[in-house]
Amino acid sequence: MAQQVQAKQPVQKTTLYVGGLAEEVNESILHAAFIPFGDIKDVKTPLDQATQKHRSFGFVTFLEKEDATAAMDNMDGAELYGRVLTVNYALPERIKGGEQGWAAQPIWADADTWFERQQQEEEMQRIQAENRAAMEAAEELHRKKMAQDREGEKDDEEMKDDPMARAEAEVLKQKD
């Protein structure tokens, strides 16, 4: 089951999970233990809120993923302060409610984004309705013009057959 969870989440290739830390290990000791493998960007040992001591694990982030791979290959199963370390690629941190977590947000925080989404959706529907109306008006105008053109063609044909209509058209042309 744990393998299935790992397969679903992307692995951070530069950050290592280091488990099995002894109580006396702190961030500087962890940094010193992993620095031989390459440049380190960050070292974290999450604290237990009740005891203010680390929770027997930490994270080491390297600048290069090759350095992280070398550290994992060499330090997994190694001993530090009498405890055997477990070193793996770290999975990304998952916090409910996004980056800040639900506890950092008021209960109505999602209502604001919902309201904004509703307004955007209504605006899109209004714009689409305006576009449909404009298209229908343009199509109607085109149909009327086509009908007028057909009527004009009929008038031209009738004028060819009617000598009086031809004479009137010639007089009108001369006046212009």
Side-chain angles (χ1 to χ4, degrees):
M1 179 108 181
Q3 291 174 345
Q4 290 174 342
V5 171
Q6 288 178 356
K8 290 180 184 177
Q9 293 180 321
V11 175
Q12 296 176 344
K13 300 281 186 180
T14 58
T15 302
L16 298 177
Y17 163 83
V18 182
L21 297 178
E23 195 174 298
E24 49 275 358
V25 174
N26 59 27
E27 289 180 359
S28 61
I29 293 171
L30 194 57
H31 185 277
F34 281 84
I35 195 68
F37 303 103
D39 293 330
I40 294 175
K41 179 180 176 183
D42 191 27
V43 176
K44 296 254 192 237
T45 53
L47 298 178
D48 182 333
Q49 296 299 323
T51 64
Q52 289 301 308
K53 294 180 181 179
H54 69 73
R55 297 162 48 194
S56 299
F57 66 89
F59 298 97
V60 178
T61 303
F62 286 89
L63 292 175
E64 301 291 329
K65 59 183 172 181
E66 293 81 17
D67 296 341
T69 302
M72 183 177 69
D73 292 342
N74 287 288
M75 294 297 286
D76 186 39
E79 191 174 307
L80 183 66
Y81 280 74
R83 303 268 308 261
V84 176
L85 300 179
T86 302
V87 182
N88 293 310
Y89 289 120
L91 296 176
E93 195 173 342
R94 288 186 348 184
I95 301 174
K96 292 180 182 175
E99 288 295 315
Q100 296 176 339
W102 288 118
Q105 298 178 5
I107 195 164
W108 58 86
D110 192 40
D112 294 338
T113 56
W114 178 87
F115 184 68
E116 289 171 8
R117 285 192 308 266
Q118 288 298 111
Q119 285 181 321
Q120 290 171 350
E121 190 174 314
E122 288 171 6
E123 181 69 12
M124 285 300 296
Q125 289 174 351
R126 185 187 62 75
I127 290 170
Q128 288 172 346
E130 286 176 2
N131 287 344
R132 271 194 304 274
M135 288 296 292
E136 289 171 3
E139 288 173 359
E140 182 64 28
L141 189 62
H142 180 70
R143 280 194 293 274
K144 285 180 182 177
K145 182 162 178 17
M146 293 299 288
Q148 287 175 348
D149 289 348
R150 282 192 297 270
E151 286 295 318
E153 289 172 5
K154 288 180 186 176
D155 290 343
D156 289 344
E157 289 173 15
E158 289 173 5
M159 203 178 333
K160 290 177 186 173
D161 296 339
D162 186 5
M164 284 299 286
R166 269 186 286 174
E168 285 178 13
E170 285 178 28
V171 171
L172 287 174
K173 284 182 187 176
Q174 290 173 357
K175 287 183 179 178
D176 290 335

